[in-house]
Amino acid sequence: MQISVIGIGYVGMVTGACLADLGHSIFFVGRDQKKLNKIKTGKSPIFEPQLDNLLERNKNRIKTTADLSDAVKKTELTFICVGTPSQSDGSVDLQQVKEVTRTIGNSLGSDNKYHIIIVKSTVLPGTTEKLVIPILEKESKKKSFLDFGIASNPEFLKEGSAVYDFFHTDRIVIGVNDQKTREILVQLYQPLSAPIYSTTIRTSEMIKYTSNAFLATKISFANEIGNLCKKMGIDSYDVFEGVGLDTRINTHFFRSGIGFGGSCLPKDIKALIAHGRALGIDPQILNAVIATNDEQPMKMIDLIKQHMDINGRNIGILGLAFKPDTDDIRESRAIPIIKALLKEKANVIAFDPVAMKNFQSLFPGIRYANKAQDVLNASAAVLIVTEWKEFENLDFRGKTVIDGRRNLKAQMTASIYEGVCW
Ligand code: NAD
C-alpha cells in the first residue's frame, strides 16, 4: 500500500519504518527539512534501537516530504502521528491534530480515490468523531465513511523496544465504523499475526487511555508499597516477585523505584483527570497516582541528605533519559531530581549514553561527563536515575550510591548504598 505518515517523532518513525519493512511504500511527512534529509540517508532523527537498520534496508520504499497535501494525494492511507501534548491544566492540546487534519481535508477534496485517515496520536474519546471528522468533511466537502474512511488505531509501543514491540505486539486495536476501512486495516496488520480487536472509534480511543491509566496505577501502587517496605526493612522486589506469581496480578510493570516519566503516562493520566473533571467526575485513584509519582523522585534527595550535606558537593547523576535505550527526556525523573539538587546548591555532574544532547538544551549549566566512570571519579555521591545496561558494569567501590533503579552491582560494591524502595 502507499502510506503517508505525518509526524517524524517516536511514533511516526517507528510506524513508518516498520510498515516499510512489511513491504509498503512510505511517505514520511515532517516539518524539519534537516530531519527529512537524515531519513533519506537511512538514518533516524530519533534514537530507537533497530530503527536505522529498518530505514537503511527499506530505503527504496521510503520517501520524505514537507508537503502534506502532496503526500495525501499520492497515497491511500494517512497515519496521523503528531504530538498531543498537555496544556497547563492537564487537558490535551489538539493544535497539531487540527492543523494536519485541515490540510488532509483540503487535499481530500481533490482526491478521487477512497483515502483512509488513521488517527494514531493519542486523543480522548470523541475527538475523532467530534473534531477530526467535522474538519475533514468541511475542508473536503465530502462525507466520511462514504467518500473517505477514518479509523482510530492507538499505539502501544514502549520507547526503547518500539521496533520489537511493533512486530511482537500483544494486540492491535482498531476503531472503525465502516466495513471497507476495517477490511483494509485488517489486511494491513495481518502479517503481524497479533489479535486484532475491532471496535467503535470512541471505545478504541478509551482503550488507549485505560491501558496507560492502569499501567501508571500499577507503578504508583508498587511505589507506595515500596515506600512502606523500605520503612519496614523489607525488599519490595522480593515482595512483588512473590505477589506477581498470581496470574491475576503478574510481574510485568510491577516494580518500585522513582516513578514513571516519558511522553505518555504523565500526560495521558493528566488528560484523563482533566476530562473527568469536565464531565463532573474527579478521578480519585488517578489523582493519587500522579501525586505519588510526583513525590517519588524526591525520595532520592531525602536519602542522600541522610548521608551527607550536599551543599557545595559534587553529586553525580547516572542516566538522564526517562528510561533506557531512548534519547527521550520528556518528563524524565532526572528533571525534578536535578532541579532539587541545584536548589540545595549541589554541583551536578551527569552522564547518559544517548540523551545528553537533549538534556543540555534544558540544563545548559550543569557539567556533563564523557563517560559514566568520569561521573564516579568526580562525585562525592552518585544517584542512579536511569537503568542503562552499561551502568551494571561499573565498579562503585568507595562510593555512596542512592539507587532509584535497582542496580545490583551498585548494591554489591558501593561503600554506602541506599535503594529507594529496598
Ligand atoms: P513527537 O513529539 O516525538 O512527534 C510528533 C511529531 O509530529 C513531531 O516530529 C512534530 O514535528 C510533528 N508534527 C507536528 N505538527 C506537524 C505538521 N503540521 N506537519 C508535520 N509534522 C508535524 O511525539 P510522539 O512521541 O511520536 O507521539 C505522537 C503521538 O503518539 C502522541 O499523541 C502520543 O501521545 C502518542 N503516543 C506516543 C508514544 C510514545 O511512546 N512516544 C506511544 C504511544 C502513543
Side-chain angles (χ1 to χ4, degrees), residues 216-226 240 254 289 292:
T217 305
K218 200 166 180 184
I219 294 172
S220 276
F221 173 77
N223 284 334
E224 187 159 316
I225 295 292
F240 298 134
F254 202 26
V289 166
T292 301

Side-chain angles (χ1 to χ4, degrees), residues 94-260:
L94 289 168
Q95 243 356 85
Q96 298 178 33
V97 173
K98 281 187 200 162
E99 190 187 324
V100 297
T101 305
R102 273 194 291 269
T103 313
I104 299 168
N106 199 279
S107 185
L108 286 181
S110 53
D111 192 355
N112 291 329
K113 58 188 181 321
Y114 191 83
H115 197 101
I116 298 175
I117 297 96
I118 303 143
V119 181
K120 205 168 232 326
S121 298
T122 303
V123 293
L124 282 161
T127 307
T128 302
E129 285 168 344
K130 287 192 193 152
L131 181 102
V132 176
I133 291 177
I135 295 177
L136 290 173
E137 291 187 340
K138 179 168 172 255
E139 296 293 332
S140 66
K141 303 190 176 52
K142 288 184 170 177
K143 200 80 201 98
S144 53
F145 313 119
L146 201 66
D147 305 316
F148 63 88
I150 180 117
S152 154
N153 172 218
E155 181 54 60
F156 299 101
L157 64 77
K158 299 186 287 301
E159 284 179 30
S161 59
V163 170
Y164 179 88
D165 293 346
F166 181 94
F167 291 108
H168 301 88
T169 183
D170 293 334
R171 81 312 205 181
I172 290 147
V173 174
I174 49 175
V176 281
N177 279 7
D178 66 306
Q179 193 54 25
K180 194 165 172 180
T181 302
R182 179 180 292 111
E183 276 166 16
I184 290 173
L185 285 186
V186 166
Q187 190 192 334
L188 181 77
Y189 284 120
Q190 205 83 65
L192 297 181
S193 58
I196 296 178
Y197 187 73
S198 173
T199 181
T200 64
I201 291 176
R202 247 163 220 262
T203 309
S204 162
E205 291 166 331
M206 189 59 183
I207 287 171
K208 173 65 191 170
Y209 277 93
T210 309
S211 292
N212 276 358
F214 188 80
L215 292 172
T217 305
K218 200 166 180 184
I219 294 172
S220 276
F221 173 77
N223 284 334
E224 187 159 316
I225 295 292
N227 294 339
L228 288 168
C229 286
K230 175 85 181 170
K231 287 276 181 215
M232 294 187 268
I234 297 167
D235 184 337
S236 63
Y237 269 61
D238 294 343
V239 172
F240 298 134
E241 205 179 315
V243 175
L245 289 171
D246 183 331
T247 51
R248 293 170 303 176
I249 299 175
N250 88 47
T251 47
H252 297 294
F253 247 63
F254 202 26
R255 276 186 306 169
S256 52
I258 48 175
F260 55 81

Side-chain angles (χ1 to χ4, degrees), residues 9-11 31 82 84 96 100 122 155 159 263-264 267 330:
Y10 292 85
V11 169
R31 296 186 290 194
V82 297
T84 49
Q96 298 178 33
V100 297
T122 303
E155 181 54 60
E159 284 179 30
S263 68
C264 289
K267 117 177 140 59
R330 289 177 284 187

